Amino acid sequence: MTVSAPEFRVRPATMDDLETVLALIEAHDIAEFGHPDISLENLRDEWEDLDLAEDSFLAVAPDGQVVGYATVRNRRNYVQIDSDGYVHPDHWGQGVGALLVRVTEERARRLAPLAPEGIKVVLTNAVNGANRPARALLEGQGYAAARHFWRMVIDLDAPPAPVAWPDGITVRPCASEADERAVFFATDEAFHDHWGYVPETYEEWRPRQRDASDTSLWFLAEEDGETAAAALCTYFLDMGWVRRIGVRRRWRRRGLGEALLRHAFGEFYRRGTPRIGLGVDASNPTGATRLYEKAGMRVVQEYALYQKELRPGRDPGPEREE
């Protein structure tokens, strides 16, 4: 598909565009946040999970320069379709963003009928919370702010204090496929209460963890042989990254989440990585933000998640016991 605008045309990306797109995203991120926020390996991993011909879009200027990039991803069984876009800062305010918003929505509307019948389908787009023009663009296209997410970090200048584990709890790294499944099921259960949760299987989830291949950074907290909590950690750019951490309902309010987080801090520090980060829903219902602040983390970036309903219906979350 090739779409045209007064000055720009849109075409799919190919693997030959990888370094060009990386440079565009880096320029965008430096203008937004003051530093790059992706590596070539991260982008390559993303593209390996993407149908570039259908779900990637490059905005190209008349001189052939790639000035914008966007993607559409089905990560939620077609009930939540995620769009993402970047415009080179030299071309802000020239209609590139509006063009990418339009073509990603057109693609998402072609995917929406694949969702289960009767289930609501939404399209999301996350932007820098401080970027008012980007937010105004989405609002003008019928999106509404649904949630705010924070990136939080801690910089350790000394080894963390020993972890005080709740009575009866032991911790160990992931060492087998059975352990990987335990990490998935524990964190999946922990996230049942979170906004936007959609059920998925281990087989759907596991292939997406390609960039978290060091499973010695996946931790299981156990009591009497049962998984009480788990954390999936990895590396992201120059920092350690806590990708997913969760405590199962029966073990909450015992300090287990904080202990597991501090355990991850200690392991990263031991490996020579004193800067650790994570992303969190600012309205997390389990009080995760307060926990992270208590552990010494601070907010360094804010993202506003916008949402547009493509098809009405009921929310897809699981039935929950009161």
Side-chain angles (χ1 to χ4, degrees):
M1 176 184 68
T2 299
V3 180
S4 296
E7 296 184 19
F8 307 101
R9 65 184 179 90
V10 174
R11 66 167 175 85
T14 71
M15 291 303 294
D16 291 339
D17 297 307
L18 189 66
E19 293 188 1
T20 297
V21 171
L22 176 67
L24 185 153
I25 296 175
E26 287 179 335
H28 174 278
D29 288 345
I30 290 170
E32 287 270 31
F33 305 115
H35 57 83
D37 207 29
I38 193 170
S39 70
L40 186 66
E41 293 73 20
N42 295 148
L43 186 59
R44 183 181 289 111
D45 283 343
E46 288 183 9
W47 281 17
E48 287 182 2
D49 293 331
L50 196 66
D51 182 347
L52 290 176
E54 295 291 339
D55 296 329
S56 71
F57 307 89
L58 299 184
V60 184
D63 63 1
Q65 180 186 3
V66 175
V67 299
Y69 162 69
T71 59
V72 171
R73 287 184 175 84
N74 159 43
R75 288 179 172 158
R76 301 283 185 170
N77 302 321
Y78 298 103
V79 303
Q80 179 176 308
I81 300 170
D82 300 333
S83 60
D84 194 20
Y86 305 85
V87 177
H88 194 286
D90 290 347
H91 294 272
W92 286 357
Q94 298 178 14
V96 179
L99 174 62
L100 293 175
V101 167
R102 178 165 62 86
V103 297
T104 52
E105 181 176 335
E106 289 172 356
R107 172 56 176 160
R109 289 192 180 279
R110 294 196 299 274
L111 293 172
L114 300 176
E117 189 67 30
I119 295 292
K120 180 170 69 176
V121 180
V122 298
L123 173 62
T124 72
N125 195 318
V127 297
N128 177 6
N131 188 329
R132 293 188 179 277
R135 297 182 68 165
L137 169 61
L138 292 175
E139 290 164 4
Q141 295 295 319
Y143 286 77
R147 217 71 171 181
H148 290 267
F149 291 84
W150 289 334
R151 174 174 296 180
M152 303 183 72
V153 302
I154 187 171
D155 292 289
L156 301 172
D157 55 11
V163 176
W165 291 100
D167 290 344
I169 296 293
T170 59
V171 66
R172 63 181 180 85
C174 178
S176 67
E177 182 182 343
D179 288 347
E180 293 177 15
R181 289 179 177 272
V183 168
F184 165 72
F185 286 113
T187 56
D188 184 70
E189 179 185 311
F191 277 81
H192 275 210
D193 299 323
H194 288 218
W195 177 86
Y197 172 82
V198 177
E200 64 179 341
T201 66
Y202 171 81
E203 287 71 23
E204 292 168 332
W205 172 85
R206 185 61 181 88
R208 297 201 305 273
Q209 315 314 312
R210 185 184 300 108
D211 62 340
S213 57
D214 182 358
T215 57
S216 68
L217 282 168
W218 299 20
F219 305 113
L220 298 97
E222 299 173 320
E223 184 173 47
D224 297 328
E226 189 172 358
T227 304
L232 189 162
C233 304
T234 186
Y235 291 98
F236 176 65
L237 298 178
D238 61 346
M239 71 174 75
W241 191 256
V242 182
R243 174 184 282 181
R244 206 175 198 196
I245 183 169
V247 179
R248 297 175 64 193
R249 280 186 177 183
R250 185 149 54 96
W251 284 273
R252 291 177 184 169
R253 307 186 193 284
R254 293 174 56 184
L256 182 51
E258 182 178 354
L260 191 55
L261 182 66
R262 291 185 183 277
H263 177 79
F265 290 172
E267 182 60 21
F268 277 122
Y269 188 88
R270 187 184 70 80
R271 297 186 183 203
T273 306
R275 184 175 177 87
I276 302 107
L278 53 74
V280 61
D281 181 346
S283 302
N284 182 290
T286 62
T289 300
R290 294 190 300 275
L291 183 155
Y292 302 150
E293 290 175 334
K294 181 181 177 183
M297 306 192 83
R298 67 188 188 281
V299 175
V300 294
Q301 290 174 203
E302 178 188 354
Y303 297 89
L305 182 74
Y306 279 80
Q307 182 172 284
K308 185 172 187 177
E309 187 175 291
L310 300 183
R311 189 182 79 184
R314 65 178 177 85
D315 288 325
E319 298 293 330
R320 300 187 178 97
E321 297 179 1
E322 297 296 333

